[in-house]
Amino acid sequence: MSQQQNLPTRLRPIAPLFLLLPGLALAGGKATLIEAGHSMPIGNQMIEAGPTEISLTWQDADTVRMDFDEEGSLFRLEGKTYTVSRSDGEVEVIDIGAMIEMMHSMTHQGKNQEDKDPSDALFSTQATGKTETLAGFKGRVYQVQSNLFDEDEGPDEVVFTDDPLVVEMTHAYFGVMGGMASKETNQSWLDALPGKDRGLLRLGDQLRLESIQRTDPPASVFELPAQPMDLQSQMGSMGAP
């Protein structure tokens, strides 16, 4: 399985929430998050995968590394997000932004303007009045609702905190998955955030913060293990007669 499949898909609609935190300067840290187990198809059977431990390391707002396991990582470097997959001694690095842009241009060829604008997404948070403590941090519980969620599942219960270190971690976590939504969507969802509570402690039963610490990771942690693939050349060769 590629590390793209390992990404918590329920988080993708929420990823833009934290990309535009004004005035936030990250100072370096490391956190461990736990993604809940999930079902995945293997042949004709559904296999239950156990909880996944995610290691997140950041130096600043634009220098972030997320490790899912020994084979999958995400990097945020100089405004770009890269996937890194390792298999049988081989390493593959892909520029996510370039890949999404290429896929977008291919899927929209010949289409009219009736496609739904992602900036039409609705998002709201509602305080429940409850509090919850995770990883030693006290947070407030909110009901988060969006028309991008599965209507049958209803709103997610999310625990936010205003602790500065957790806010930094959250910014780094979702920043590494940037580029998957428009600037307009990012801003509209940012406007809906609950005051200063912008540090994520728990997202439903899908994700929770396990531990976090302030640290100054060495620059070598953020070095890509290989050059990014030339996607345009590869696509050109695939389409060649």
Side-chain angles (χ1 to χ4, degrees):
M1 178 186 297
S2 70
Q3 93 279 8
Q4 293 182 56
Q5 292 173 302
N6 284 334
L7 288 177
T9 53
R10 286 278 292 163
L11 295 179
R12 291 175 186 168
I14 301 181
L17 298 182
F18 304 93
L19 298 181
L20 300 174
L21 302 184
L24 180 61
L26 306 195
K30 186 171 185 178
T32 298
L33 302 103
I34 304 297
E35 180 194 356
H38 57 276
S39 301
M40 58 183 176
I42 303 293
N44 295 324
Q45 295 182 326
M46 292 297 293
I47 304 299
E48 292 294 328
T52 300
E53 183 175 288
I54 300 173
S55 177
L56 181 69
T57 308
W58 68 93
Q59 181 62 64
D60 54 47
D62 213 26
T63 311
V64 186
R65 174 174 177 165
M66 183 189 301
D67 294 302
F68 297 95
D69 49 43
E70 294 182 353
E71 298 183 351
S73 304
L74 286 175
F75 285 75
R76 179 72 176 175
L77 302 170
E78 298 181 352
K80 295 183 178 182
T81 300
Y82 302 91
T83 66
V84 177
S85 58
R86 306 170 182 86
S87 179
D88 297 328
E90 296 186 0
V91 179
E92 182 180 86
V93 179
I94 296 177
D95 180 338
I96 289 184
M99 180 179 67
I100 292 177
E101 184 176 335
M102 182 178 297
M103 293 175 62
H104 185 270
S105 63
M106 292 173 61
T107 57
H108 283 73
Q109 287 180 357
K111 289 189 177 183
N112 55 34
Q113 298 300 317
E114 295 180 357
D115 295 333
K116 183 178 179 181
D117 186 340
S119 63
D120 291 337
L122 300 177
F123 174 80
S124 65
T125 59
Q126 182 176 355
T128 66
K130 297 186 296 183
T131 62
E132 187 173 323
T133 300
L134 295 102
F137 298 92
K138 184 177 180 179
R140 284 164 283 278
V141 181
Y142 292 82
Q143 290 288 332
V144 177
Q145 192 157 17
S146 171
N147 61 353
L148 297 182
F149 295 158
D150 189 331
E151 293 182 359
D152 295 333
E153 297 184 12
D156 268 315
E157 187 178 79
V158 182
V159 182
F160 290 112
T161 179
D162 60 0
D163 181 86
L165 181 58
V166 182
V167 172
E168 283 190 23
M169 179 278 297
T170 305
H171 186 275
Y173 180 87
F174 289 103
V176 79
M177 294 192 292
M180 291 185 285
S182 69
K183 181 178 179 180
E184 291 77 15
T185 300
N186 292 342
Q187 187 59 53
S188 65
W189 286 8
L190 174 66
D191 292 341
L193 281 174
K196 296 182 179 180
D197 289 340
R198 302 186 177 197
L200 180 66
L201 292 175
R202 179 173 67 83
L203 172 60
D205 58 2
Q206 295 94 43
L207 187 79
R208 62 178 171 81
L209 177 65
E210 178 73 7
S211 64
I212 188 171
Q213 64 184 28
R214 177 73 68 197
T215 186
D216 186 16
S220 58
V221 170
F222 306 104
E223 294 177 356
L224 290 174
Q227 289 295 317
M229 296 173 59
D230 188 341
L231 297 176
Q232 289 192 345
S233 295
Q234 287 213 351
M235 291 298 295
S237 62
M238 289 173 61

